[in-house]
Amino acid sequence: MTDILLHGCNGRMGQMIAGLLKEDSEARIVAGVDAYTGIENPFPVFSRISDCDVKADVVIDFSNAGAADALLDWCVSTKTPVVLCTTGLSPEQLERVEEAAKETAVLKSANMSVGINLLLKLLKEAAPTLAAAGFDIEIVEKHHNQKLDAPSGTALALADAINEASDGVYTYVYDRSQVRQKRGSRELGISAVRGGTIVGDHDVIFAGTDEVITFEHRAYSRAVFGKGAIQAAKFLAGKPAGRYDMSDVIG
């Protein structure tokens, strides 16, 4: 049984994870942390991580960037592994993540979906072959109309996986409206669509002469991110200090 401390337990993702873990026979929540305490939970909830005195095997964090520093300090001081799902961390905070990983196990990925992380792995294998055959590469991502950033972090992670496997030859192009010229062979186009309640769609298009290969991922519910975080927590519990990501989880 993996004992989990849920950081951000009363947020939308926190409550989703709590619901998923009710049906899980291998993991359970032993405590939660959230500045908002107006929700009843079947586990003790602390308003600050520094007040938490409950021992856990691992932390799942779906809170906000403002709470990340105190969380990392607590995890380092208690040597508790942490699955860090909060986005929007500053460059200084990302450096702090790397420092914390020297003292305890830290898992952070651009996307917690198992499917997206398998896609990253597949793209690293496919990109060199298709690029060598002259295929152009474009990424189209779609999200709901409340999303603030564009392109998505996942789209950038997909682009980075391709570029890493291709010796960094690609330049990312986000907008072609201001230029009037043919597409360069070393361009990697990234387009963002915002509308409705789209949870997250990502298409990676390899367009060649007379044929197109498309890798697609559709997230129909945010539960895919919660399930991935739980799988990551089970993996990370008991691991030695170090920096991990979802590629370690899926193998």
Side-chain angles (χ1 to χ4, degrees):
M1 181 65 69
T2 302
D3 288 344
I4 294 173
L5 171 62
L6 187 54
H7 191 249
C9 63
N10 287 338
R12 180 166 52 183
M13 283 303 302
Q15 287 293 292
M16 179 174 289
I17 289 173
L20 291 170
L21 282 168
K22 287 179 181 178
E23 310 300 323
D24 197 308
S25 61
E26 299 176 346
R28 63 185 178 184
I29 302 173
V30 293
V33 175
D34 204 296
Y36 175 67
T37 57
I39 295 177
E40 290 292 329
N41 292 286
F43 48 81
V45 176
F46 302 87
S47 59
R48 296 182 303 177
I49 186 67
S50 58
D51 294 334
C52 180
D53 58 0
V54 177
K55 181 175 174 54
D57 297 317
V58 61
V59 176
I60 294 179
D61 167 60
F62 268 106
S63 56
N64 59 73
D69 293 332
L71 171 63
L72 289 171
D73 288 344
W74 187 88
C75 289
V76 167
S77 67
T78 61
K79 297 296 187 288
T80 305
V82 56
V83 178
L84 194 62
C85 305
T86 291
T87 58
L89 300 184
S90 68
E92 293 77 17
Q93 287 177 311
L94 292 174
E95 289 182 14
R96 177 67 179 121
V97 169
E98 301 305 324
E99 288 299 314
K102 297 175 182 178
E103 304 293 333
T104 191
V106 179
L107 188 149
K108 187 179 188 308
S109 287
N111 188 300
M112 296 307 297
S113 160
V114 173
I116 281 289
N117 283 279
L118 180 58
L119 177 56
L120 289 167
K121 184 176 181 180
L122 294 173
L123 288 175
K124 289 180 180 179
E125 297 177 6
T129 299
L130 295 174
F135 282 70
D136 296 321
I137 308 172
E138 297 279 320
I139 296 174
V140 180
E141 58 95 345
K142 307 172 188 176
H143 284 85
H144 53 86
N145 57 22
Q146 301 301 302
K147 186 170 177 61
L148 300 179
D149 57 317
S152 68
T154 298
L156 291 173
L158 295 170
D160 289 344
I162 293 167
N163 215 9
E164 179 183 328
S166 306
D167 298 322
V169 300
Y170 290 104
T171 299
Y172 302 164
V173 177
Y174 306 102
D175 178 21
R176 295 190 173 97
S177 66
Q178 303 303 312
V179 296
R180 191 171 176 81
Q181 62 188 34
K182 293 181 180 180
R183 185 190 195 282
S185 62
R186 297 305 188 190
E187 291 183 9
L188 197 164
I190 305 176
S191 303
V193 176
R194 296 290 174 266
T197 58
I198 301 171
V199 174
D201 293 357
H202 292 85
D203 294 345
V204 183
I205 304 163
F206 291 87
T209 302
D210 299 327
E211 61 180 334
V212 175
I213 299 171
T214 302
F215 291 81
E216 301 179 356
H217 182 272
R218 303 282 181 267
Y220 294 104
S221 164
R222 289 178 176 81
V224 298
F225 310 124
K227 291 176 182 177
I230 292 170
Q231 187 171 342
K234 293 176 182 178
F235 163 84
L236 199 65
K239 288 291 189 294
R243 180 73 163 79
Y244 301 84
D245 60 31
M246 285 297 288
S247 65
D248 298 304
V249 178
I250 65 175

